[in-house]
Amino acid sequence: PRAMLLLGKRVYMAQKVDPEAGVVVLEKLAVKYPNTYHGKEAIYTIAGYHKKKSGPEVCEKYLKDNLVIRKKDPMQYHRLAMFAVQYRVALDWASELLKEGMELHPRAHFLRKAMMDIRLRQKRYREALEAIREAVRMAPKNGAYQKLLETCRRLVKQGSKTR
């Protein structure tokens, strides 16, 4: 599976040798190994390709039709959230699944930080602040979370001044 992922992602798509052939290789990988890291990365790579080629609606539909989150693995919820933030697609859907992940994995502070990322992308600053506050409560020694907390406070304050 690793070789197929590298072939599809790096050779065909990243080097732009033949993106369509890359999609074919990655589709085979996603179908044959849907519950593995490599299979899921193939799905994300194809979804990113669809976003660039056909737009966010096609990308979101592809994700919804093909991605299955293994509920026992909090990193799968995180990966979806980061994809949604990076590509600016499926933010509402990703946030709904992320809520599910936070309920199933109540100690996974990184899921709260991912929710903050989604809410910032959506310009929902108060909700972003709530999410990072929760992450800070769970991981108080995380310096990056402390800095993000201050950033969110500043954004909320700026937002209330413009209204």
Side-chain angles (χ1 to χ4, degrees):
R2 184 172 185 265
M4 287 177 77
L5 182 63
L6 288 172
L7 178 66
K9 277 180 88 166
R10 300 256 163 78
V11 176
Y12 288 118
M13 303 195 78
Q15 295 177 12
K16 296 181 175 66
V17 172
D18 186 354
E20 298 293 331
V23 170
V24 171
V25 169
L26 294 171
E27 283 284 357
K28 288 178 184 175
L29 175 60
V31 169
K32 190 169 183 179
Y33 303 100
N35 294 318
T36 66
Y37 164 81
H38 298 94
K40 292 194 184 307
E41 283 304 304
I43 290 169
Y44 285 118
T45 303
I46 295 166
Y49 172 78
H50 286 312
K51 164 76 167 34
K52 291 174 187 163
K53 185 174 183 199
S54 306
E57 296 81 15
V58 175
C59 175
E60 185 168 346
K61 181 177 180 346
Y62 180 82
L63 279 175
K64 287 180 177 180
D65 289 348
N66 293 283
L67 186 67
V68 176
I69 301 284
R70 279 195 359 250
K71 294 178 187 238
K72 290 183 179 182
D73 185 357
M75 288 307 295
Q76 291 194 16
Y77 292 98
H78 184 266
R79 178 66 176 99
L80 171 61
M82 294 300 90
F83 180 89
V85 168
Q86 178 183 353
Y87 284 89
R88 298 178 180 190
V89 296
L91 291 165
D92 292 332
W93 179 63
S95 71
E96 287 305 311
L97 285 174
L98 199 52
K99 287 177 191 175
E100 173 185 277
M102 291 187 312
E103 287 177 21
L104 293 171
H105 306 282
R107 294 189 299 185
H109 56 84
F110 56 89
L111 295 180
R112 278 76 184 165
K113 192 271 185 191
M115 183 62 83
M116 179 215 67
D117 290 327
I118 287 175
R119 296 303 185 221
L120 286 175
R121 180 66 77 199
Q122 294 173 317
K123 298 187 181 349
R124 293 164 62 174
Y125 301 130
R126 287 193 192 284
E127 292 173 59
L129 178 59
E130 290 170 25
I132 198 62
R133 274 186 183 144
E134 199 173 328
V136 167
R137 273 194 297 275
M138 297 168 83
K141 294 182 181 178
N142 188 315
Y145 288 178
Q146 296 289 343
K147 289 177 184 175
L148 290 167
L149 179 64
E150 292 308 312
T151 298
C152 288
R153 284 182 177 148
R154 199 168 34 257
L155 288 168
V156 167
K157 192 181 251 187
Q158 287 173 355
S160 63
K161 287 181 182 178
T162 60
R163 292 180 185 175

Coordinates of all heavy atoms in Angstrom, one line a residue, residues 54-132:
S54 N -12.4 20.3 -10.0 CA -13.9 20.5 -10.2 C -14.6 21.3 -9.2 O -15.7 21.6 -9.4 CB -14.5 19.1 -10.2 OG -13.9 18.2 -11.2
G55 N -13.9 21.7 -8.2 CA -14.5 22.6 -7.2 C -14.9 21.9 -5.9 O -14.8 20.7 -5.7
P56 N -15.2 22.8 -4.9 CA -15.5 22.3 -3.5 C -16.7 21.3 -3.4 O -16.6 20.4 -2.6 CB -15.7 23.5 -2.7 CG -16.0 24.6 -3.7 CD -15.3 24.2 -5.0
E57 N -17.7 21.5 -4.2 CA -18.9 20.6 -4.1 C -18.5 19.2 -4.5 O -18.9 18.2 -3.8 CB -20.0 21.1 -5.0 CG -20.5 22.5 -4.6 CD -19.7 23.7 -5.2 OE1 -18.9 23.5 -6.1 OE2 -19.9 24.8 -4.6
V58 N -17.7 19.0 -5.6 CA -17.3 17.7 -6.0 C -16.4 17.1 -5.0 O -16.5 15.9 -4.6 CB -16.6 17.7 -7.4 CG1 -16.1 16.4 -7.8 CG2 -17.6 18.3 -8.4
C59 N -15.5 17.8 -4.4 CA -14.6 17.4 -3.4 C -15.4 16.9 -2.1 O -15.2 15.8 -1.6 CB -13.7 18.5 -3.0 SG -12.6 18.1 -1.6
E60 N -16.3 17.7 -1.7 CA -17.1 17.3 -0.5 C -17.9 16.1 -0.8 O -18.0 15.2 0.1 CB -18.0 18.5 -0.1 CG -18.8 18.2 1.2 CD -19.5 19.4 1.7 OE1 -19.2 20.6 1.3 OE2 -20.4 19.2 2.6
K61 N -18.5 16.0 -1.9 CA -19.3 14.8 -2.3 C -18.4 13.6 -2.3 O -18.8 12.5 -1.8 CB -20.0 15.0 -3.6 CG -20.9 13.7 -4.0 CD -21.6 13.9 -5.3 CE -22.5 12.8 -5.7 NZ -22.3 11.5 -5.1
Y62 N -17.3 13.7 -2.9 CA -16.3 12.5 -2.9 C -16.0 12.1 -1.5 O -16.0 10.9 -1.2 CB -15.1 12.9 -3.7 CG -14.1 11.7 -3.7 CD1 -14.3 10.7 -4.6 CD2 -13.1 11.6 -2.8 CE1 -13.4 9.6 -4.7 CE2 -12.2 10.5 -2.8 CZ -12.4 9.5 -3.7 OH -11.6 8.4 -3.7
L63 N -15.7 13.0 -0.6 CA -15.3 12.7 0.8 C -16.5 12.0 1.4 O -16.3 10.9 2.1 CB -15.0 13.9 1.6 CG -13.6 14.5 1.4 CD1 -13.4 15.8 2.2 CD2 -12.5 13.5 1.9
K64 N -17.7 12.6 1.3 CA -18.9 12.0 2.0 C -19.2 10.6 1.5 O -19.6 9.7 2.2 CB -20.1 12.9 1.8 CG -20.0 14.1 2.7 CD -21.2 15.0 2.5 CE -21.1 16.2 3.4 NZ -22.3 17.1 3.2
D65 N -18.9 10.4 0.2 CA -19.2 9.1 -0.4 C -18.2 8.0 -0.1 O -18.5 6.8 -0.2 CB -19.3 9.2 -2.0 CG -20.6 9.9 -2.4 OD1 -21.5 10.2 -1.6 OD2 -20.7 10.3 -3.6
N66 N -17.0 8.4 0.2 CA -15.9 7.5 0.3 C -15.2 7.3 1.6 O -14.6 6.3 1.9 CB -14.8 7.8 -0.8 CG -15.3 7.5 -2.2 OD1 -15.4 6.4 -2.6 ND2 -15.7 8.6 -2.9
L67 N -15.2 8.4 2.4 CA -14.4 8.4 3.7 C -15.3 7.7 4.8 O -16.4 8.1 5.0 CB -14.0 9.8 4.1 CG -13.1 9.9 5.3 CD1 -11.8 9.3 5.0 CD2 -13.0 11.3 5.7
V68 N -14.7 6.8 5.5 CA -15.3 6.2 6.6 C -14.3 6.4 7.8 O -13.2 6.0 7.7 CB -15.6 4.7 6.4 CG1 -16.1 4.0 7.7 CG2 -16.5 4.4 5.2
I69 N -14.8 7.0 8.8 CA -14.0 7.3 10.0 C -14.1 6.1 11.0 O -15.2 5.7 11.3 CB -14.5 8.6 10.7 CG1 -14.5 9.8 9.8 CG2 -13.8 8.8 12.0 CD1 -13.1 10.4 9.6
R70 N -13.0 5.6 11.4 CA -13.0 4.5 12.4 C -13.1 5.2 13.7 O -12.3 6.0 14.2 CB -11.7 3.7 12.4 CG -11.7 2.7 11.3 CD -10.7 1.6 11.4 NE -9.7 1.7 12.5 CZ -8.4 2.0 12.3 NH1 -8.0 2.2 11.1 NH2 -7.7 2.0 13.4
K71 N -14.3 5.0 14.4 CA -14.6 5.8 15.6 C -13.7 5.6 16.7 O -13.6 6.5 17.6 CB -16.0 5.4 16.0 CG -17.1 5.9 15.0 CD -18.5 5.5 15.4 CE -19.4 5.8 14.2 NZ -20.4 6.7 14.5
K72 N -12.9 4.5 16.8 CA -12.0 4.2 17.9 C -10.7 5.1 17.8 O -9.9 5.1 18.7 CB -11.6 2.8 17.9 CG -12.8 1.9 18.3 CD -12.3 0.4 18.4 CE -13.4 -0.5 18.9 NZ -13.0 -1.9 19.0
D73 N -10.5 5.7 16.6 CA -9.3 6.4 16.4 C -9.5 7.9 16.3 O -10.0 8.4 15.3 CB -8.7 5.9 15.1 CG -7.3 6.5 14.8 OD1 -6.8 7.4 15.5 OD2 -6.7 6.1 13.7
P74 N -9.2 8.7 17.4 CA -9.4 10.1 17.3 C -8.6 10.8 16.3 O -9.0 11.9 15.8 CB -9.0 10.6 18.7 CG -8.1 9.5 19.2 CD -8.5 8.2 18.6
M75 N -7.5 10.3 15.8 CA -6.7 10.9 14.8 C -7.4 11.0 13.5 O -7.1 11.9 12.7 CB -5.3 10.2 14.6 CG -4.4 10.4 15.8 SD -4.1 12.2 16.2 CE -3.3 12.8 14.7
Q76 N -8.3 10.1 13.2 CA -9.1 10.1 12.0 C -10.0 11.3 11.9 O -10.2 11.9 10.9 CB -9.8 8.8 11.7 CG -8.8 7.7 11.5 CD -9.5 6.5 10.9 OE1 -10.6 6.5 10.4 NE2 -8.7 5.4 10.9
Y77 N -10.6 11.7 13.1 CA -11.4 12.9 13.2 C -10.5 14.1 12.9 O -10.9 15.0 12.2 CB -12.1 13.0 14.5 CG -13.1 11.9 14.8 CD1 -12.9 10.8 15.5 CD2 -14.4 12.1 14.3 CE1 -13.8 9.8 15.7 CE2 -15.4 11.1 14.5 CZ -15.1 10.0 15.2 OH -16.1 9.0 15.4
H78 N -9.4 14.1 13.5 CA -8.4 15.2 13.4 C -8.0 15.4 12.0 O -8.0 16.5 11.4 CB -7.2 15.0 14.3 CG -6.3 16.1 14.3 ND1 -5.2 16.1 13.5 CD2 -6.2 17.2 15.0 CE1 -4.5 17.2 13.7 NE2 -5.1 17.9 14.6
R79 N -7.7 14.3 11.3 CA -7.2 14.3 9.9 C -8.3 15.0 9.0 O -8.0 15.8 8.1 CB -6.9 12.9 9.4 CG -6.4 12.9 7.9 CD -5.1 13.6 7.7 NE -4.7 13.5 6.4 CZ -4.8 14.4 5.4 NH1 -5.4 15.6 5.7 NH2 -4.3 14.3 4.2
L80 N -9.6 14.6 9.2 CA -10.7 15.1 8.4 C -10.8 16.6 8.7 O -10.9 17.4 7.7 CB -12.0 14.4 8.7 CG -13.2 15.1 8.1 CD1 -13.2 15.1 6.6 CD2 -14.5 14.4 8.6
A81 N -10.7 17.0 9.9 CA -10.8 18.5 10.2 C -9.7 19.3 9.6 O -9.9 20.3 9.0 CB -10.8 18.6 11.8
M82 N -8.5 18.7 9.6 CA -7.3 19.5 9.0 C -7.5 19.5 7.5 O -7.1 20.5 6.9 CB -6.0 18.8 9.5 CG -5.7 19.0 11.0 SD -5.7 20.7 11.6 CE -7.3 21.0 12.1
F83 N -8.0 18.5 6.9 CA -8.2 18.5 5.5 C -9.2 19.6 5.1 O -9.1 20.4 4.2 CB -8.7 17.2 4.9 CG -8.9 17.2 3.5 CD1 -7.9 16.9 2.6 CD2 -10.2 17.5 3.0 CE1 -8.1 16.9 1.2 CE2 -10.4 17.5 1.6 CZ -9.4 17.2 0.7
A84 N -10.3 19.6 5.9 CA -11.4 20.6 5.7 C -10.9 22.0 5.8 O -11.2 22.9 5.0 CB -12.6 20.3 6.6
V85 N -10.1 22.2 6.8 CA -9.5 23.6 7.0 C -8.5 24.0 5.9 O -8.6 25.0 5.3 CB -8.8 23.7 8.4 CG1 -8.0 24.9 8.5 CG2 -9.8 23.6 9.5
Q86 N -7.7 23.0 5.6 CA -6.7 23.3 4.5 C -7.3 23.6 3.2 O -6.9 24.6 2.5 CB -5.7 22.1 4.4 CG -4.7 22.4 3.3 CD -3.8 21.1 3.1 OE1 -3.8 20.2 3.8 NE2 -2.9 21.2 2.1
Y87 N -8.3 22.8 2.8 CA -8.9 22.9 1.5 C -10.2 23.8 1.5 O -10.8 24.0 0.4 CB -9.2 21.6 0.9 CG -8.0 20.9 0.4 CD1 -7.2 20.1 1.2 CD2 -7.5 21.1 -0.9 CE1 -6.1 19.4 0.8 CE2 -6.4 20.4 -1.4 CZ -5.6 19.6 -0.5 OH -4.5 19.0 -1.0
R88 N -10.6 24.2 2.7 CA -11.8 25.1 2.8 C -13.0 24.4 2.2 O -13.8 25.0 1.4 CB -11.5 26.4 2.2 CG -10.4 27.2 2.8 CD -10.2 28.5 2.2 NE -9.1 29.1 3.0 CZ -8.7 30.3 2.8 NH1 -9.2 31.1 2.0 NH2 -7.7 30.8 3.5
V89 N -13.2 23.1 2.5 CA -14.3 22.4 2.1 C -14.9 21.6 3.2 O -14.2 21.3 4.2 CB -14.0 21.4 0.9 CG1 -13.5 22.1 -0.3 CG2 -13.0 20.3 1.4
A90 N -16.2 21.3 3.1 CA -16.9 20.4 4.0 C -16.7 20.8 5.5 O -16.7 19.9 6.4 CB -16.4 19.0 3.8
L91 N -16.6 22.1 5.8 CA -16.4 22.5 7.1 C -17.5 22.2 8.1 O -17.3 21.8 9.2 CB -16.1 24.1 7.2 CG -14.8 24.5 6.5 CD1 -14.7 26.0 6.3 CD2 -13.6 24.0 7.4
D92 N -18.7 22.3 7.6 CA -19.9 22.0 8.5 C -19.9 20.5 8.8 O -20.1 20.1 9.9 CB -21.2 22.5 7.9 CG -21.3 24.0 7.8 OD1 -20.7 24.6 8.7 OD2 -22.0 24.5 6.9
W93 N -19.7 19.7 7.7 CA -19.7 18.2 7.9 C -18.6 17.8 8.8 O -18.8 17.0 9.7 CB -19.6 17.6 6.5 CG -19.6 16.1 6.5 CD1 -20.6 15.3 7.0 CD2 -18.6 15.3 6.1 NE1 -20.2 13.9 6.8 CE2 -19.0 13.9 6.2 CE3 -17.3 15.5 5.5 CZ2 -18.2 12.8 5.9 CZ3 -16.5 14.4 5.1 CH2 -17.0 13.1 5.3
A94 N -17.4 18.4 8.6 CA -16.3 18.0 9.4 C -16.5 18.4 10.9 O -16.1 17.6 11.8 CB -15.0 18.7 8.9
S95 N -17.1 19.5 11.1 CA -17.4 19.9 12.5 C -18.4 19.0 13.2 O -18.3 18.7 14.4 CB -17.8 21.4 12.6 OG -19.1 21.6 12.1
E96 N -19.4 18.6 12.4 CA -20.3 17.6 13.0 C -19.6 16.3 13.4 O -19.9 15.8 14.5 CB -21.5 17.3 12.0 CG -22.4 18.5 11.9 CD -23.0 19.0 13.2 OE1 -23.5 18.1 14.0 OE2 -23.0 20.2 13.5
L97 N -18.8 15.8 12.5 CA -18.1 14.6 12.8 C -17.1 14.8 14.0 O -16.9 13.9 14.8 CB -17.3 14.0 11.6 CG -18.2 13.4 10.6 CD1 -17.4 13.0 9.3 CD2 -18.9 12.1 11.1
L98 N -16.5 16.0 14.0 CA -15.6 16.3 15.1 C -16.3 16.3 16.4 O -15.7 15.9 17.4 CB -14.9 17.7 14.8 CG -13.6 18.0 15.5 CD1 -12.6 16.9 15.4 CD2 -13.1 19.3 15.0
K99 N -17.5 16.8 16.5 CA -18.3 16.8 17.7 C -18.5 15.4 18.2 O -18.3 15.1 19.4 CB -19.7 17.5 17.5 CG -19.6 19.0 17.4 CD -21.0 19.5 17.1 CE -20.9 21.0 16.8 NZ -22.3 21.5 16.4
E100 N -18.8 14.5 17.2 CA -18.9 13.1 17.5 C -17.6 12.5 18.1 O -17.6 11.8 19.1 CB -19.3 12.3 16.3 CG -19.2 10.8 16.4 CD -19.5 10.1 15.1 OE1 -20.7 9.9 14.7 OE2 -18.5 9.7 14.5
G101 N -16.5 12.9 17.5 CA -15.2 12.5 18.0 C -14.9 13.0 19.4 O -14.3 12.3 20.2
M102 N -15.2 14.2 19.6 CA -15.0 14.8 21.0 C -15.8 14.1 22.0 O -15.3 13.9 23.2 CB -15.3 16.3 21.0 CG -14.3 17.1 20.1 SD -14.3 18.9 20.1 CE -16.0 19.2 19.9
E103 N -17.0 13.7 21.7 CA -17.8 12.9 22.6 C -17.2 11.5 22.9 O -17.2 11.0 24.0 CB -19.3 12.7 22.1 CG -20.1 14.0 22.2 CD -21.5 13.9 21.6 OE1 -21.9 12.7 21.5 OE2 -22.1 14.9 21.2
L104 N -16.8 10.9 21.8 CA -16.2 9.5 22.0 C -14.8 9.6 22.6 O -14.4 8.6 23.2 CB -16.1 8.9 20.6 CG -17.4 8.5 19.9 CD1 -17.1 8.1 18.5 CD2 -18.1 7.4 20.7
H105 N -14.1 10.7 22.5 CA -12.7 10.8 23.0 C -12.6 12.1 23.8 O -12.0 13.0 23.4 CB -11.7 10.8 21.8 CG -11.8 9.6 20.9 ND1 -11.4 8.4 21.2 CD2 -12.5 9.5 19.7 CE1 -11.7 7.5 20.3 NE2 -12.3 8.2 19.3
P106 N -13.2 12.0 25.0 CA -13.3 13.3 25.8 C -12.0 13.8 26.3 O -11.9 15.0 26.6 CB -14.2 12.9 27.0 CG -14.1 11.4 27.1 CD -13.9 10.9 25.7
R107 N -10.9 13.0 26.2 CA -9.6 13.6 26.7 C -8.7 14.0 25.5 O -7.6 14.4 25.7 CB -8.9 12.5 27.5 CG -9.7 12.3 28.9 CD -8.9 11.5 29.8 NE -8.7 10.1 29.3 CZ -8.1 9.2 30.0 NH1 -7.7 9.3 31.2 NH2 -7.9 8.0 29.4
A108 N -9.2 13.9 24.3 CA -8.4 14.3 23.1 C -8.4 15.8 22.9 O -9.2 16.3 22.1 CB -8.9 13.5 21.9
H109 N -7.5 16.5 23.6 CA -7.5 17.9 23.5 C -7.2 18.4 22.1 O -7.7 19.5 21.7 CB -6.4 18.5 24.5 CG -5.1 18.0 24.3 ND1 -4.2 18.5 23.4 CD2 -4.4 17.0 24.9 CE1 -3.1 17.8 23.4 NE2 -3.2 16.9 24.4
F110 N -6.5 17.6 21.3 CA -6.2 18.1 19.9 C -7.4 18.1 19.1 O -7.5 18.9 18.1 CB -5.1 17.2 19.3 CG -5.5 15.7 19.3 CD1 -6.2 15.2 18.2 CD2 -5.1 14.9 20.3 CE1 -6.5 13.8 18.2 CE2 -5.4 13.5 20.3 CZ -6.1 13.0 19.3
L111 N -8.5 17.4 19.4 CA -9.8 17.6 18.7 C -10.4 18.9 19.0 O -11.0 19.5 18.1 CB -10.7 16.4 19.0 CG -10.3 15.0 18.6 CD1 -11.3 14.0 19.0 CD2 -9.9 15.0 17.1
R112 N -10.3 19.4 20.2 CA -10.8 20.8 20.5 C -10.0 21.8 19.7 O -10.6 22.8 19.2 CB -10.7 21.0 22.0 CG -11.8 20.5 22.9 CD -11.6 19.0 23.0 NE -12.7 18.4 23.8 CZ -12.9 17.1 23.8 NH1 -12.1 16.3 23.1 NH2 -13.9 16.6 24.4
K113 N -8.7 21.6 19.6 CA -7.9 22.6 18.9 C -8.3 22.5 17.4 O -8.4 23.5 16.7 CB -6.4 22.2 19.0 CG -5.5 23.3 18.5 CD -5.2 23.1 17.1 CE -4.2 24.1 16.5 NZ -4.1 24.0 15.1
A114 N -8.6 21.3 16.9 CA -9.1 21.2 15.5 C -10.4 21.9 15.3 O -10.7 22.5 14.3 CB -9.2 19.7 15.1
M115 N -11.3 21.8 16.3 CA -12.6 22.6 16.2 C -12.3 24.1 16.2 O -13.0 24.8 15.5 CB -13.5 22.2 17.4 CG -14.8 22.9 17.4 SD -15.8 22.4 15.9 CE -16.5 20.8 16.5
M116 N -11.4 24.5 17.0 CA -11.0 25.9 16.9 C -10.6 26.3 15.5 O -11.0 27.3 14.9 CB -9.9 26.2 17.9 CG -9.4 27.7 17.8 SD -7.6 27.9 18.1 CE -6.9 27.2 16.7
D117 N -9.8 25.5 14.9 CA -9.3 25.7 13.5 C -10.5 25.9 12.5 O -10.5 26.8 11.7 CB -8.3 24.6 13.0 CG -7.0 24.7 13.7 OD1 -6.5 25.8 14.1 OD2 -6.4 23.6 13.9
I118 N -11.4 25.0 12.6 CA -12.6 25.0 11.8 C -13.4 26.3 12.0 O -13.8 27.0 11.1 CB -13.5 23.8 12.0 CG1 -12.9 22.5 11.4 CG2 -14.9 24.0 11.4 CD1 -13.6 21.2 11.6
R119 N -13.6 26.6 13.3 CA -14.4 27.8 13.6 C -13.7 29.1 13.2 O -14.3 30.0 12.7 CB -14.7 27.8 15.1 CG -15.6 26.7 15.6 CD -16.9 26.7 14.8 NE -17.8 25.7 15.3 CZ -18.5 24.8 14.6 NH1 -18.5 24.9 13.3 NH2 -19.3 24.0 15.2
L120 N -12.4 29.1 13.3 CA -11.6 30.3 12.8 C -11.8 30.4 11.3 O -12.0 31.5 10.7 CB -10.2 30.2 13.1 CG -9.8 30.4 14.5 CD1 -8.3 30.2 14.7 CD2 -10.1 31.8 15.0
R121 N -11.7 29.3 10.5 CA -11.9 29.3 9.1 C -13.3 29.8 8.7 O -13.5 30.5 7.7 CB -11.7 27.9 8.5 CG -11.8 27.8 7.0 CD -10.8 28.6 6.3 NE -9.5 27.9 6.3 CZ -8.4 28.4 6.0 NH1 -8.3 29.7 5.7 NH2 -7.2 27.8 6.0
Q122 N -14.3 29.5 9.6 CA -15.7 29.9 9.4 C -15.9 31.3 9.9 O -17.0 31.8 9.8 CB -16.6 29.0 10.0 CG -16.6 27.6 9.4 CD -17.5 26.6 10.2 OE1 -17.5 26.6 11.5 NE2 -18.3 25.8 9.5
K123 N -14.9 31.9 10.5 CA -15.0 33.3 11.1 C -16.0 33.3 12.3 O -16.7 34.3 12.5 CB -15.3 34.4 10.1 CG -14.3 34.5 9.0 CD -14.5 35.7 8.1 CE -13.5 35.9 7.1 NZ -12.3 35.2 7.0
R124 N -16.1 32.2 13.0 CA -17.0 32.0 14.1 C -16.1 32.1 15.4 O -15.8 31.1 16.0 CB -17.8 30.7 14.0 CG -18.8 30.8 12.9 CD -19.3 29.5 12.5 NE -20.1 28.8 13.5 CZ -20.8 27.6 13.2 NH1 -20.8 27.1 12.0 NH2 -21.4 27.0 14.2
Y125 N -15.7 33.3 15.7 CA -14.6 33.5 16.6 C -15.0 33.2 18.1 O -14.1 32.6 18.8 CB -14.1 35.0 16.5 CG -13.6 35.3 15.2 CD1 -14.0 36.5 14.5 CD2 -12.7 34.5 14.5 CE1 -13.5 36.8 13.3 CE2 -12.2 34.8 13.2 CZ -12.6 36.0 12.6 OH -12.2 36.3 11.4
R126 N -16.2 33.4 18.5 CA -16.6 33.1 19.8 C -16.5 31.6 20.0 O -16.1 31.1 21.1 CB -18.0 33.6 20.2 CG -18.0 35.1 20.4 CD -19.3 35.6 21.0 NE -19.5 37.0 20.9 CZ -18.8 37.9 21.7 NH1 -18.0 37.4 22.6 NH2 -19.0 39.2 21.5
E127 N -17.0 30.8 19.0 CA -17.0 29.4 19.1 C -15.5 28.9 19.1 O -15.2 27.9 19.7 CB -17.8 28.7 18.0 CG -19.3 29.0 18.2 CD -20.1 28.5 17.0 OE1 -20.0 27.3 16.7 OE2 -20.8 29.4 16.4
A128 N -14.7 29.5 18.3 CA -13.2 29.2 18.3 C -12.6 29.4 19.7 O -11.9 28.5 20.1 CB -12.5 30.0 17.2
L129 N -13.0 30.5 20.3 CA -12.5 30.8 21.6 C -12.9 29.7 22.6 O -12.2 29.2 23.4 CB -13.0 32.2 22.1 CG -12.6 32.6 23.5 CD1 -11.0 32.6 23.6 CD2 -13.1 34.0 23.8
E130 N -14.2 29.3 22.5 CA -14.7 28.3 23.4 C -13.9 27.0 23.3 O -13.6 26.3 24.2 CB -16.2 28.0 23.2 CG -17.1 29.1 23.6 CD -18.5 29.0 23.1 OE1 -18.9 27.8 22.9 OE2 -19.2 30.0 23.0
A131 N -13.7 26.6 22.0 CA -13.0 25.4 21.7 C -11.5 25.4 22.2 O -11.1 24.4 22.9 CB -13.0 25.1 20.2
I132 N -10.8 26.5 22.0 CA -9.4 26.5 22.5 C -9.4 26.7 24.0 O -8.5 26.1 24.7 CB -8.6 27.6 21.8 CG1 -7.1 27.4 21.9 CG2 -9.0 29.0 22.2 CD1 -6.6 26.1 21.4

